[in-house]
Amino acid sequence: MSTAREQPIFSTRAHVFQIDPATKRNWIPAGKHALTVSYFYDATRNVYRIISIGGAKAIINSTVTPNMTFTKTSQKFGQWADSRANTVYGLGFASEQHLTQFAEKFQEVKEAARLAREKSQDGGELTSPALGLTAHQVPPSPLVSANGPGDEKLFRSQSADVPGPAERERLKKMLSEGSVGEVQWEAEFFALQDSNNKLAGALREANAAAAQWRQQLEAQRAEAERLRQRVAELEAQAAAEPPSVSEKEGPGQSLEQLEALVQTKDQEIQTLKSQTGGPREAVDTTEREETQQKVQDLETRNAELEHQLRATERSLEEARAERERARAEVGRAAQLLDVRLFELSELREGLARLAEGTP
């Protein structure tokens, strides 16, 4: 089995397509997900093949020949035609780099196939296209099947000479089945290796995320402590707020007195005006001037009292607004603290689940 075993030389992942045999224009996807596409080298037959396994069947089984050409049709898509399979294969890659690597490997394999053909022609050896064996090569006897060590079967030729047609067909079928089984094993191996790499990457990302979450947890703890201190300060300020407001309400309590004083002064003004409006003959000029001066003084005093009244009202409104702002800020701080505490609890649960899920 070791002489007939195909060795993988390059593998990648891509979305596999085949040309629609009816229209020869539309692409038919081989599956919903990307598949492993590999180059294999058969040392026995000295041929190179591109193989992709989907489920239990071979999606691509294309033997590379010197006449093949791999064409890049876009930054992430390439195609080649296989005349033996009478179809055109297309591959969609995740990045332009993967497409370039596959195309370069295609050129290398194509050149190697050309050199192998020239060497075979120069050597003058007759090669059997069915078995890939030269005329002077005789299949070893006994020949072990490629079905695995648990299902080993011994096959012996019916004569010591070159096998007959029936024996050749049987050997051909046996080698083909063994090759497909090996390809499936190799594909499963690469799939498991890819899955292992993904799991290792996910574990590294999880560890990095856990470290980042720990840092965020420490930062949120510090922020929560700062918010607690701020809430305590605001509560202390809110507790100390009512006495200061009552002190500010002291001038507010004197509003009634100021209004009464204004009314009294208005009455005095009206009285003085009525007195000045009497017979001019009975009022002395000096008293009239004094009365007018008093009226002006009273009006000035009245304006001052009104100004004080408005200032007191403004200070009272400002005190009330400040108290409402303080209450609103305390409420927002309390809500923010609740949100932070809820996030901390969720973060703890997430870390606990991550710790349980990490092997």
Side-chain angles (χ1 to χ4, degrees):
M1 181 178 64
S2 60
T3 60
R5 186 179 185 86
E6 289 182 306
Q7 298 295 331
I9 58 176
F10 179 81
S11 294
T12 185
R13 292 187 66 82
H15 291 273
V16 180
F17 299 85
Q18 281 187 337
I19 200 70
D20 188 354
T23 62
K24 298 295 183 180
R25 293 183 179 180
N26 300 327
W27 290 105
I28 301 176
K32 297 181 180 179
H33 306 287
L35 301 176
T36 300
V37 182
S38 304
Y39 287 93
F40 282 86
Y41 173 63
D42 188 348
T44 303
R45 296 185 296 171
N46 199 16
V47 296
Y48 296 85
R49 291 198 298 168
I50 302 174
I51 296 175
S52 178
I53 303 297
K57 64 178 181 178
I59 305 299
I60 299 177
N61 187 2
S62 177
T63 302
V64 180
T65 63
N67 298 327
M68 286 185 178
T69 302
F70 184 81
T71 305
K72 297 180 181 179
T73 58
S74 67
Q75 292 182 351
K76 298 181 182 181
F77 193 87
Q79 65 184 43
W80 78 96
D82 189 342
S83 58
R84 294 184 179 180
N86 193 24
T87 187
V88 179
Y89 296 104
L91 298 179
F93 296 89
S95 65
E96 185 177 2
Q97 180 181 3
H98 290 84
L99 173 60
T100 302
Q101 292 176 353
F102 187 88
E104 292 175 353
K105 184 58 66 174
F106 192 95
Q107 289 299 119
E108 294 177 6
V109 170
K110 176 181 174 181
E111 182 66 19
R114 184 184 66 80
L115 294 176
R117 174 178 290 184
E118 291 178 356
K119 183 178 179 182
S120 176
Q121 292 176 354
D122 293 341
E125 295 177 347
L126 298 177
T127 304
S128 172
L131 298 178
L133 301 175
T134 57
H136 65 274
Q137 287 179 328
V138 179
S141 179
L143 186 64
V144 181
S145 170
N147 294 330
D151 297 331
E152 289 188 354
K153 298 179 181 179
L154 298 182
F155 299 92
R156 298 181 181 273
S157 60
Q158 295 178 354
S159 66
D161 298 329
V162 178
E167 186 68 15
R168 282 188 179 182
E169 291 298 327
R170 192 162 65 95
L171 289 174
K172 177 182 176 181
K173 182 178 180 182
M174 179 187 64
L175 290 174
S176 176
E177 292 177 355
S179 178
V180 172
E182 290 175 1
V183 169
Q184 291 179 352
W185 294 341
E186 295 291 345
E188 291 177 1
F189 170 75
F190 284 117
L192 290 175
Q193 188 177 13
D194 189 17
S195 177
N196 188 24
N197 293 333
K198 289 182 179 179
L199 289 175
L203 181 59
R204 288 193 295 269
E205 292 178 358
N207 291 333
Q212 185 178 2
W213 281 9
R214 291 190 189 97
Q215 294 178 358
Q216 292 180 356
L217 178 61
E218 294 297 331
Q220 289 184 357
R221 284 178 180 174
E223 181 69 14
E225 186 64 26
R226 189 185 67 81
L227 289 174
R228 288 193 187 95
Q229 294 178 359
R230 179 60 178 166
V231 169
E233 293 175 0
L234 292 175
E235 288 178 352
Q237 183 179 357
E241 199 67 35
S244 61
V245 174
S246 63
E247 291 176 2
K248 291 183 180 180
E249 287 180 355
Q253 293 176 357
S254 63
L255 291 176
E256 297 178 356
Q257 298 177 359
L258 291 174
E259 291 177 355
L261 182 59
V262 170
Q263 291 179 358
T264 303
K265 296 301 181 181
D266 289 337
Q267 290 177 0
E268 292 180 0
I269 290 171
Q270 293 298 330
T271 303
L272 291 174
K273 284 183 178 180
S274 62
Q275 290 178 0
T276 56
R280 294 180 179 272
E281 299 82 14
V283 181
D284 187 68
T285 303
T286 304
E287 292 180 355
R288 186 172 61 248
E289 291 178 355
E290 291 178 356
T291 303
Q292 290 178 354
Q293 185 64 36
K294 288 181 179 180
V295 169
Q296 292 177 358
D297 293 341
L298 289 173
E299 289 178 351
T300 303
R301 179 61 177 166
N302 188 19
E304 291 178 356
L305 292 174
E306 289 179 354
H307 180 71
Q308 291 180 2
L309 178 61
R310 287 192 295 270
T312 303
E313 290 177 351
R314 283 196 301 271
S315 63
L316 179 61
E317 292 297 329
E318 290 176 357
R320 290 175 179 172
E322 183 66 24
R323 182 173 59 185
E324 292 298 329
R325 283 196 298 271
R327 288 179 179 175
E329 187 173 358
V330 170
R332 286 194 300 271
Q335 292 178 357
L336 183 59
L337 180 60
D338 292 338
V339 172
R340 294 295 185 183
L341 291 176
F342 179 73
E343 290 178 353
L344 285 175
S345 64
E346 286 188 343
L347 186 58
R348 290 193 188 96
E349 292 177 359
L351 289 175
R353 290 194 298 269
L354 182 61
E356 292 177 357
T358 303

Short mmCIF file of all heavy atoms in Angstrom, two decimals, residues 78-105:
data_model
loop_
_atom_site.label_atom_id
_atom_site.label_comp_id
_atom_site.label_asym_id
_atom_site.label_seq_id
_atom_site.Cartn_x
_atom_site.Cartn_y
_atom_site.Cartn_z
N GLY A 78 -11.18 31.62 -9.28
CA GLY A 78 -10.41 31.06 -10.39
C GLY A 78 -11.07 29.80 -10.91
O GLY A 78 -11.89 29.18 -10.23
N GLN A 79 -10.68 29.38 -12.12
CA GLN A 79 -11.32 28.23 -12.75
C GLN A 79 -10.34 27.52 -13.67
O GLN A 79 -9.35 28.11 -14.10
CB GLN A 79 -12.56 28.65 -13.53
CG GLN A 79 -12.25 29.54 -14.74
CD GLN A 79 -13.49 30.02 -15.45
OE1 GLN A 79 -14.45 30.41 -14.80
NE2 GLN A 79 -13.46 30.00 -16.78
N TRP A 80 -10.63 26.24 -13.94
CA TRP A 80 -9.88 25.50 -14.93
C TRP A 80 -10.81 24.45 -15.54
O TRP A 80 -11.77 24.00 -14.92
CB TRP A 80 -8.63 24.85 -14.33
CG TRP A 80 -8.88 23.60 -13.53
CD1 TRP A 80 -8.79 22.31 -13.94
CD2 TRP A 80 -9.27 23.54 -12.15
NE1 TRP A 80 -9.08 21.45 -12.93
CE2 TRP A 80 -9.38 22.18 -11.80
CE3 TRP A 80 -9.53 24.50 -11.16
CZ2 TRP A 80 -9.74 21.75 -10.53
CZ3 TRP A 80 -9.88 24.08 -9.89
CH2 TRP A 80 -9.98 22.72 -9.59
N ALA A 81 -10.49 24.06 -16.75
CA ALA A 81 -11.29 23.08 -17.49
C ALA A 81 -10.60 21.73 -17.44
O ALA A 81 -9.38 21.62 -17.59
CB ALA A 81 -11.49 23.52 -18.93
N ASP A 82 -11.40 20.68 -17.23
CA ASP A 82 -10.91 19.31 -17.21
C ASP A 82 -11.60 18.57 -18.36
O ASP A 82 -12.80 18.26 -18.28
CB ASP A 82 -11.22 18.65 -15.87
CG ASP A 82 -10.52 17.30 -15.72
OD1 ASP A 82 -10.10 16.73 -16.75
OD2 ASP A 82 -10.41 16.81 -14.58
N SER A 83 -10.83 18.29 -19.42
CA SER A 83 -11.42 17.65 -20.59
C SER A 83 -11.79 16.20 -20.30
O SER A 83 -12.74 15.67 -20.87
CB SER A 83 -10.44 17.72 -21.76
OG SER A 83 -9.21 17.10 -21.42
N ARG A 84 -11.05 15.54 -19.40
CA ARG A 84 -11.37 14.15 -19.09
C ARG A 84 -12.71 14.05 -18.37
O ARG A 84 -13.52 13.16 -18.65
CB ARG A 84 -10.27 13.55 -18.24
CG ARG A 84 -8.94 13.43 -18.95
CD ARG A 84 -7.90 12.74 -18.08
NE ARG A 84 -6.62 12.61 -18.77
CZ ARG A 84 -5.56 12.03 -18.22
NH1 ARG A 84 -5.64 11.51 -16.99
NH2 ARG A 84 -4.43 11.94 -18.89
N ALA A 85 -12.94 14.96 -17.43
CA ALA A 85 -14.21 14.96 -16.70
C ALA A 85 -15.31 15.70 -17.45
O ALA A 85 -16.47 15.69 -17.03
CB ALA A 85 -14.03 15.59 -15.32
N ASN A 86 -14.93 16.35 -18.58
CA ASN A 86 -15.89 17.09 -19.40
C ASN A 86 -16.64 18.13 -18.57
O ASN A 86 -17.87 18.22 -18.62
CB ASN A 86 -16.87 16.14 -20.09
CG ASN A 86 -17.66 16.85 -21.19
OD1 ASN A 86 -17.21 17.87 -21.73
ND2 ASN A 86 -18.83 16.33 -21.51
N THR A 87 -15.89 18.90 -17.79
CA THR A 87 -16.51 19.94 -16.95
C THR A 87 -15.50 21.04 -16.68
O THR A 87 -14.30 20.93 -17.05
CB THR A 87 -17.02 19.35 -15.62
OG1 THR A 87 -17.75 20.37 -14.92
CG2 THR A 87 -15.87 18.89 -14.76
N VAL A 88 -15.98 22.11 -16.07
CA VAL A 88 -15.14 23.22 -15.66
C VAL A 88 -15.34 23.41 -14.16
O VAL A 88 -16.48 23.49 -13.68
CB VAL A 88 -15.48 24.53 -16.41
CG1 VAL A 88 -14.59 25.67 -15.93
CG2 VAL A 88 -15.33 24.32 -17.91
N TYR A 89 -14.23 23.45 -13.42
CA TYR A 89 -14.29 23.65 -11.98
C TYR A 89 -13.99 25.11 -11.65
O TYR A 89 -13.15 25.75 -12.29
CB TYR A 89 -13.26 22.76 -11.26
CG TYR A 89 -13.52 21.27 -11.41
CD1 TYR A 89 -12.75 20.50 -12.27
CD2 TYR A 89 -14.52 20.66 -10.67
CE1 TYR A 89 -12.98 19.14 -12.42
CE2 TYR A 89 -14.76 19.29 -10.80
CZ TYR A 89 -13.99 18.54 -11.68
OH TYR A 89 -14.23 17.19 -11.80
N GLY A 90 -14.69 25.61 -10.64
CA GLY A 90 -14.46 26.97 -10.15
C GLY A 90 -14.25 26.95 -8.64
O GLY A 90 -14.91 26.18 -7.93
N LEU A 91 -13.35 27.80 -8.17
CA LEU A 91 -13.04 27.88 -6.74
C LEU A 91 -13.15 29.33 -6.29
O LEU A 91 -12.57 30.24 -6.91
CB LEU A 91 -11.63 27.36 -6.45
CG LEU A 91 -11.35 25.88 -6.78
CD1 LEU A 91 -9.91 25.54 -6.44
CD2 LEU A 91 -12.31 24.98 -6.01
N GLY A 92 -13.91 29.53 -5.23
CA GLY A 92 -14.02 30.85 -4.62
C GLY A 92 -13.29 30.87 -3.29
O GLY A 92 -13.62 30.11 -2.37
N PHE A 93 -12.27 31.73 -3.18
CA PHE A 93 -11.41 31.76 -2.00
C PHE A 93 -11.81 32.90 -1.06
O PHE A 93 -12.51 33.84 -1.45
CB PHE A 93 -9.95 31.92 -2.42
CG PHE A 93 -9.41 30.76 -3.21
CD1 PHE A 93 -9.53 30.74 -4.60
CD2 PHE A 93 -8.81 29.69 -2.59
CE1 PHE A 93 -9.06 29.68 -5.34
CE2 PHE A 93 -8.33 28.62 -3.32
CZ PHE A 93 -8.45 28.61 -4.70
N ALA A 94 -11.31 32.79 0.16
CA ALA A 94 -11.63 33.82 1.16
C ALA A 94 -10.84 35.10 0.94
O ALA A 94 -11.26 36.17 1.37
CB ALA A 94 -11.35 33.28 2.57
N SER A 95 -9.69 35.03 0.28
CA SER A 95 -8.87 36.21 0.05
C SER A 95 -8.09 36.04 -1.25
O SER A 95 -7.96 34.93 -1.79
CB SER A 95 -7.90 36.44 1.22
OG SER A 95 -6.97 35.38 1.31
N GLU A 96 -7.56 37.13 -1.74
CA GLU A 96 -6.76 37.10 -2.96
C GLU A 96 -5.45 36.34 -2.74
O GLU A 96 -4.93 35.70 -3.66
CB GLU A 96 -6.47 38.53 -3.42
CG GLU A 96 -5.76 38.62 -4.74
CD GLU A 96 -5.56 40.06 -5.18
OE1 GLU A 96 -5.95 40.97 -4.43
OE2 GLU A 96 -5.00 40.27 -6.29
N GLN A 97 -4.93 36.38 -1.52
CA GLN A 97 -3.70 35.66 -1.22
C GLN A 97 -3.87 34.15 -1.39
O GLN A 97 -3.02 33.47 -1.96
CB GLN A 97 -3.24 35.99 0.20
CG GLN A 97 -1.96 35.30 0.61
CD GLN A 97 -1.56 35.63 2.03
OE1 GLN A 97 -2.28 36.35 2.73
NE2 GLN A 97 -0.44 35.12 2.47
N HIS A 98 -5.00 33.61 -0.91
CA HIS A 98 -5.25 32.19 -1.07
C HIS A 98 -5.37 31.81 -2.55
O HIS A 98 -4.88 30.76 -2.98
CB HIS A 98 -6.53 31.80 -0.33
CG HIS A 98 -6.40 31.85 1.17
ND1 HIS A 98 -6.56 33.01 1.88
CD2 HIS A 98 -6.11 30.89 2.08
CE1 HIS A 98 -6.39 32.77 3.16
NE2 HIS A 98 -6.11 31.49 3.31
N LEU A 99 -6.03 32.67 -3.32
CA LEU A 99 -6.15 32.41 -4.76
C LEU A 99 -4.78 32.40 -5.43
O LEU A 99 -4.47 31.54 -6.25
CB LEU A 99 -7.06 33.47 -5.40
CG LEU A 99 -7.16 33.44 -6.93
CD1 LEU A 99 -7.70 32.11 -7.42
CD2 LEU A 99 -8.01 34.60 -7.42
N THR A 100 -3.92 33.36 -5.05
CA THR A 100 -2.58 33.43 -5.65
C THR A 100 -1.77 32.19 -5.30
O THR A 100 -1.07 31.63 -6.15
CB THR A 100 -1.88 34.70 -5.16
OG1 THR A 100 -2.67 35.85 -5.50
CG2 THR A 100 -0.51 34.83 -5.79
N GLN A 101 -1.84 31.75 -4.04
CA GLN A 101 -1.11 30.55 -3.64
C GLN A 101 -1.57 29.32 -4.43
O GLN A 101 -0.76 28.51 -4.88
CB GLN A 101 -1.28 30.32 -2.14
CG GLN A 101 -0.60 31.37 -1.28
CD GLN A 101 -0.88 31.15 0.19
OE1 GLN A 101 -1.68 30.29 0.57
NE2 GLN A 101 -0.23 31.95 1.05
N PHE A 102 -2.88 29.19 -4.59
CA PHE A 102 -3.40 28.04 -5.34
C PHE A 102 -2.97 28.10 -6.80
O PHE A 102 -2.59 27.08 -7.39
CB PHE A 102 -4.93 28.01 -5.24
CG PHE A 102 -5.55 26.77 -5.83
CD1 PHE A 102 -5.73 25.64 -5.05
CD2 PHE A 102 -5.94 26.73 -7.16
CE1 PHE A 102 -6.30 24.49 -5.59
CE2 PHE A 102 -6.51 25.59 -7.70
CZ PHE A 102 -6.68 24.47 -6.91
N ALA A 103 -3.00 29.30 -7.40
CA ALA A 103 -2.60 29.44 -8.80
C ALA A 103 -1.11 29.15 -8.97
O ALA A 103 -0.71 28.49 -9.95
CB ALA A 103 -2.92 30.85 -9.30
N GLU A 104 -0.29 29.62 -8.06
CA GLU A 104 1.14 29.32 -8.15
C GLU A 104 1.40 27.82 -8.01
O GLU A 104 2.22 27.25 -8.74
CB GLU A 104 1.90 30.10 -7.07
CG GLU A 104 1.90 31.61 -7.29
CD GLU A 104 2.55 32.36 -6.14
OE1 GLU A 104 2.87 31.69 -5.12
OE2 GLU A 104 2.74 33.59 -6.25
N LYS A 105 0.71 27.18 -7.09
CA LYS A 105 0.87 25.74 -6.94
C LYS A 105 0.38 25.00 -8.18
O LYS A 105 0.96 23.97 -8.58
CB LYS A 105 0.13 25.25 -5.70
CG LYS A 105 0.31 23.79 -5.39
CD LYS A 105 1.78 23.44 -5.20
CE LYS A 105 2.37 24.12 -3.96
NZ LYS A 105 3.74 23.66 -3.70
#
